[in-house]
Every structure is written in C-alpha cells, then in structure tokens.
Amino acid sequence: MQAETSPLPLPELDDFLDSSDARVIAEDRARQTRAALLAITSLALGLSGNILFHTSTIGINVFLFAVLCLMAVGGALFYFRRPIVWYHVVFAVPAALFALLLAVRLAPELRLFNILALFGCVVILLYFNGTPRFLGGWWFAPIGYGIELVMAAWFFGLQAVVPETLRWAGRAELDTRHLGTAKSVLRGLVFALPVIIVFALLLSSADAVFGRLTGDVLHFLLPASAEGIIEQTVLTAGFAVIGLTLLWTAIEPHTQTTVPMSDSKRGKASVLRLNIIEASMVLGSVNALFVAFVAIQARYLFGGQANITAQGYTYADYARRGFYELLVVSCMTIALLVAVEHLTYRKREEERLFRGLVTLMVLLTVVILVAAFRRLTLYEDAYGFTRIRVMSSTFIIWLAVVLAALWIAIVRHRPEILLAGGVIAGLGFGLSLNVINMDAFIARHNIERYDNTGKLDVDYLLTLSDDAIPTIVPLLDREDLGSEQYGLLYGLASRLVVLDYSRAQRGPFGYHVGEERAWQALDAYRARLEPYMGRNASDGYGWSGS
C-alpha cells in the first residue's frame, strides 16, 4: 500500500500581510528611535549651552559649544551611517577654528567675519557632507541652503522629531523593557545625594575657594527667583533647538542641484548664447582697453615719483585717486569671465583662441591688481593705516587667488576649481586678518610711521579695539607725544575701567584671550592711570600739558 503524500503548504495571504506589517512596524520603530536619539542629544546640547552661556559673556564658551555641536553632528553621521565625503566634512576644522577666534579677537569686523565664516562652514558640513561634487557644483547652493538653515530648518526639524519622539516615549513595551533600569538609576541617585551633600559641606568648610565654587554651582542649579528659572529654561530650549536643527539637517538627505559649466557652454541651459566671434569681440575689446591702461600704469606708478609730479600730482594724491575703482574693475572682470565662459558655445578648434584671450585678460587683470595694491601702499605711507585700507590690501591678495582659480577652471573645464578657490580665498581672507591681528597691526605700523614722520593720530588709535591695547600702551613711556600724552592717558584709563567691569562680570566660561591680554597690559600701568579713571578730558587734565 502506497503512503499518501501530503501537498506542501502554500503561503497564505495573511503571511504576506504579516511580513509586510512587520516591516512597516520595524521601520516605524526605527524612525521613532532615531527621533528619540536626536531629541535626547539636542536636550543635552541645550543643557550644555545653558551651563556655558548663563551668567557668562561671549568668550571661550562659543568655541566649547561649537565643538560639542560638531562632535554631536559627527557622531550622528557615523551612527546613522550617512555617506561622508572628506572634502566637505573637513570643514568642521575651520568651523572650530573660527569659533575659537571669536574668543581671541575683539575687532568688530573680525568678529563679524568669524561669525559668517563659522556659519558658512557649518552650512557646507550639514548640507554637502555626502555630496560627491564640491558644493554640488552650483555657485549659489551654499547661500540658498544658508537661508534655509536660518529660516526653515529648525521648524522642519521640530516637525519631524518631536511627534516621533512622543510616540517612542509612549510605547507600551518601553516601560517593561527599561523600567528596571530606570528604577535602579533613581535609587542610586537617592542613595548618592545625601553622601554628596555631606562631603561637599565638609570640603567647603576646609577650603574657601572650593566653598565659593560649590556655592556658585548651587546658585546656578537652584535659581533663587522665578525669573532665573524662566531665563535658564528659555536658554536651554533655545540651544536645544539649535542642536536639533544641526543634527536633523546633517542626517536628512538633501536634493543637490548641479549645473556643470560644460552644459551651458554647449548651449543647452541658457537662452542667451555667444559664438566664438562674439565672445572674441567682447574679450578682445576689453583686453585692448586694459593694455592701454596698463601701459600708463607702468609709466607712472612703476616709473618713479618724477613721472607723477610732472603731471601736477603729488605721490599721495595720485595714489588716492582711483584705488577703489581699480578694485571694482578687477571684480567685474572676474564676473565677465565667468559669464563669457558660461554663455559661449565653441568648437574644439576654437578653444585655443578662447583660452588665449582669457589668459591675456587674466594677466592684465593681475597687473591692474598690482597697480591697485601699489596705490594703496603709497596712500598708507602718506596718511597711515586704517581698517578699511588693511582689509582692502588683504582682499587684493586673495582676489588674485580667485582669479588664478578661475583661469584654471576655464582652461581645464573644471568649475569646481573656481568654487574651491572662492571658498579658500574667502576663508583665507578672514584668517589672514585674524593672524596679523588687524587692530594691533594698524597700531604698530602707525607708531612706526610716527617714528619716521612725527605724525600720529592718537584719537584714531583709541578707536581701535582692545586687540590693539598691548601695542598702544608702551606709548605711555614716551616723552615726545606732548599734549597728546594726556589724551592717551585719559583714553586708556577709560578702557581700564571698562575692562575691570567686564572682567568681573564675564563668568566662568566668558574668558576672552584678547580682553585678558588688554587688561594685563593696562593693569601694569594702573598706578599711572588711576588719577585719570572716571574723569573727563576737560576736567583739568586738559590738553595744554600743564
């Protein structure tokens, strides 16, 4: 008798549905867990921000908070396995550097640039960390994403994370799985608290410094008024939102817009197109004009003072005329080359002519930049250094870097080279001003100019930031300033009053390198400055030298 064979069981429709439901549930729980991790990390950043900035002025706390945020972003990218491109992620380094410089330099222009550079590096890190092409290959992508980060990213982050976090916290199995651990943590805190209190009281009695520190910590953790509680709550919430915005933006995929130069060059993306004849007319005519101008510059600016005075100008007057116009011409030339490259359709055999015209224009523009720099140095020799003049001369140097990057990008058909050159030049411009310590640089060179010419604008020196104070203070030992000495004494005494107050109020995380160096320089002359502190210049320390 043959055994009956039972047919293989076929999967039921419910099995497919159960598998699909399980996958959906798993994805939903993964989304909730991700949101909870982001929320917890953001709350930790919010508490850190409150600790760093509550009762502290702006100083080293900016750097510390920036490093915490960058570490959190890096951890999120690694934990959630987001794609990472090194030449975008590496912008975390200059971001931390410019955050540190906010605790080093005090010049308003440097502070503004350091903030903008920090923000720009963060935008590149958040939005382009996994993008293969540098900045997505598009000129204005960082600007658009920067606006989005300020205007909308925080809202999108809250909208995506908060509801999922609440769902994660409300899961029934969460209580049974983690209740034991939570109870153990609470019991440990209950047992540890009285022990910590006893030891803290004994140690505070043994050491006055430790006792004062313990009192400050208790005052911070236990605000004495409702205003203090509200202030710290708002501060914590604000920094938590900042942290959440950074984390969510970093791990959320973004659609990158890329417009390679080669597409527009072939006429596929632009309504206005130029052929090689039209482009040659534009470039050639501008080159002819530049050649005539450069010939004049070679005679007057590089040929010596006699050639200028023969035309009825002094050396300083000639240098003063047209510097900013030359700078504008150079910037417009860069824009013109970008536009012509973007719009010109050319065949392979026409490429050599186009490159030759571009190369000639770049070389002539370099000569114009040199002429502008030369004019500016002559003007500084005649009238002294100021912030705008120092920034302008530094800008010329880095503008030449952009020009070189543009030439390479056009010759090699690599638009990302211009993007990289622009970013490097922008960051290099600000970093250069920080490295030379702009206000101290101005004070030092104007004092050297005084040694050579006997001319010194003390009033302008006193308008410089505290970065210049250590350079200015040695003037108090000089006896050749005449009545200017009293103005210097009064101005520096006023600075010492402000620095004394700021130093007393800055808090534990408000330490600022530039401010501390300025205070130490003035404090060394306190005995000499004290008679002038809190007085007006017209109160009897007048300007007659009596």
Side-chain angles (χ1 to χ4, degrees), residues 370-417:
V370 172
F373 189 85
R374 176 65 172 160
R375 285 174 183 259
L376 185 56
T377 55
L378 294 174
Y379 192 48
E380 289 170 337
D381 291 341
Y383 297 101
F385 288 71
T386 63
R387 286 172 177 166
I388 186 64
R389 294 166 196 166
V390 172
M391 288 190 293
S392 298
S393 57
T394 308
F395 179 76
I396 289 175
I397 296 173
W398 288 103
L399 190 63
V401 174
V402 175
L403 193 63
L406 175 59
W407 178 76
I408 297 173
I410 293 177
V411 170
R412 300 187 61 182
H413 303 301
R414 297 277 301 278
E416 60 272 15
I417 294 178

Side-chain angles (χ1 to χ4, degrees), residues 69-86:
C69 289
L70 292 172
M71 291 174 61
V73 168
L77 291 174
F78 178 79
Y79 182 81
F80 294 110
R81 298 181 180 179
R82 291 295 183 262
I84 294 177
V85 178
W86 70 268

Side-chain angles (χ1 to χ4, degrees), residues 136-183:
W138 180 234
W139 313 100
F140 300 106
I143 298 176
Y145 283 130
I147 296 173
E148 177 185 311
L149 182 64
V150 173
M151 301 296 294
W154 63 271
F155 176 76
F156 294 149
L158 289 173
Q159 187 181 45
V161 171
V162 173
E164 295 297 336
T165 303
L166 294 176
R167 292 180 61 200
W168 174 86
R171 279 176 14 204
E173 62 269 23
L174 188 66
D175 296 333
T176 59
R177 184 179 304 175
H178 301 289
L179 187 57
T181 303
K183 286 183 178 180

Side-chain angles (χ1 to χ4, degrees), residues 21-152:
D21 290 342
R23 185 168 60 252
V24 171
I25 292 173
E27 292 175 354
D28 188 52
R29 289 183 178 177
R31 188 165 55 249
Q32 294 174 20
T33 302
R34 183 186 72 168
L37 289 174
L38 294 181
I40 293 171
T41 307
S42 301
L43 181 59
L45 290 174
L47 293 172
S48 301
N50 180 44
I51 293 172
L52 291 172
F53 289 91
H54 184 64
T55 70
S56 294
T57 57
I58 299 299
I60 197 66
N61 44 15
V62 177
F63 170 70
L64 294 175
F65 185 73
V67 169
L68 289 175
C69 289
L70 292 172
M71 291 174 61
V73 168
L77 291 174
F78 178 79
Y79 182 81
F80 294 110
R81 298 181 180 179
R82 291 295 183 262
I84 294 177
V85 178
W86 70 268
Y87 46 77
H88 287 140
V89 177
V90 77
F91 276 90
V93 176
L97 176 60
F98 284 106
L100 177 61
L101 288 172
L102 285 170
V104 176
R105 299 293 179 234
L106 287 161
E109 293 83 357
L110 292 185
R111 280 190 161 186
L112 175 61
F113 186 87
N114 290 337
I115 292 172
L116 293 176
L118 170 61
F119 179 75
C121 291
V122 169
V123 168
I124 294 174
L125 172 64
L126 297 182
Y127 283 96
F128 300 97
N129 54 72
T131 306
R133 296 195 66 183
F134 186 72
L135 300 187
W138 180 234
W139 313 100
F140 300 106
I143 298 176
Y145 283 130
I147 296 173
E148 177 185 311
L149 182 64
V150 173
M151 301 296 294

Side-chain angles (χ1 to χ4, degrees), residues 432-452:
S432 299
L433 296 176
N434 279 280
V435 169
I436 67 172
N437 192 358
M438 181 173 65
D439 280 7
F441 178 87
I442 293 169
R444 182 170 60 254
H445 282 273
N446 283 346
I447 293 172
E448 291 175 356
R449 178 174 171 270
Y450 171 69
D451 294 333
N452 297 326

Side-chain angles (χ1 to χ4, degrees), residues 317-359:
D317 288 340
Y318 189 80
R320 187 176 185 177
R321 296 169 59 91
F323 160 73
Y324 291 106
E325 287 83 351
L326 293 182
L327 205 56
V328 171
V329 166
S330 301
C331 294
M332 290 180 63
T333 302
I334 292 177
L336 175 64
L337 288 173
V338 171
V340 172
E341 159 67 15
H342 192 73
L343 299 175
T344 302
Y345 171 77
R346 53 194 184 272
K347 300 176 182 178
R348 185 178 300 274
E349 59 271 17
E350 299 168 340
E351 189 67 31
R352 180 175 296 181
L353 173 61
F354 184 82
R355 291 180 180 180
L357 292 171
V358 167
T359 301

Side-chain angles (χ1 to χ4, degrees), residues 188-403:
L189 290 175
V190 170
F191 292 142
L193 188 60
V195 178
I196 293 296
I197 291 175
V198 171
F199 279 113
L201 290 175
L202 292 174
L203 293 174
S204 298
S205 300
D207 187 85
V209 176
F210 184 81
R212 186 179 62 182
L213 179 61
T214 303
D216 293 340
V217 172
L218 290 176
H219 178 72
F220 177 82
L221 295 177
L222 302 173
S225 64
E227 291 182 358
I229 296 175
I230 294 174
E231 180 182 348
Q232 293 199 45
T233 301
V234 171
L235 202 59
T236 301
F239 282 109
V241 170
I242 292 175
L244 178 60
T245 303
L246 297 177
L247 291 169
W248 181 84
T249 306
I251 66 172
E252 188 70 12
H254 305 284
T255 302
Q256 307 295 345
T257 303
T258 59
V259 181
M261 294 172 71
S262 57
D263 289 347
S264 59
K265 186 173 63 180
R266 291 175 172 81
K268 295 181 179 180
S270 178
V271 176
L272 175 63
R273 293 173 53 191
L274 299 176
N275 57 39
I276 188 61
I277 296 177
E278 295 164 337
S280 299
M281 291 293 294
V282 173
L283 297 176
S285 57
V286 174
N287 283 340
L289 181 63
F290 283 3
V291 166
F293 181 81
V294 166
I296 296 176
Q297 297 304 297
R299 178 183 178 186
Y300 290 112
L301 273 184
F302 306 115
Q305 185 173 357
N307 288 330
I308 296 176
T309 55
Q311 299 297 319
Y313 296 108
T314 65
Y315 219 35
D317 288 340
Y318 189 80
R320 187 176 185 177
R321 296 169 59 91
F323 160 73
Y324 291 106
E325 287 83 351
L326 293 182
L327 205 56
V328 171
V329 166
S330 301
C331 294
M332 290 180 63
T333 302
I334 292 177
L336 175 64
L337 288 173
V338 171
V340 172
E341 159 67 15
H342 192 73
L343 299 175
T344 302
Y345 171 77
R346 53 194 184 272
K347 300 176 182 178
R348 185 178 300 274
E349 59 271 17
E350 299 168 340
E351 189 67 31
R352 180 175 296 181
L353 173 61
F354 184 82
R355 291 180 180 180
L357 292 171
V358 167
T359 301
L360 178 59
M361 182 171 288
V362 168
L363 293 175
L364 293 171
T365 306
V366 169
V367 176
I368 291 176
L369 285 175
V370 172
F373 189 85
R374 176 65 172 160
R375 285 174 183 259
L376 185 56
T377 55
L378 294 174
Y379 192 48
E380 289 170 337
D381 291 341
Y383 297 101
F385 288 71
T386 63
R387 286 172 177 166
I388 186 64
R389 294 166 196 166
V390 172
M391 288 190 293
S392 298
S393 57
T394 308
F395 179 76
I396 289 175
I397 296 173
W398 288 103
L399 190 63
V401 174
V402 175
L403 193 63

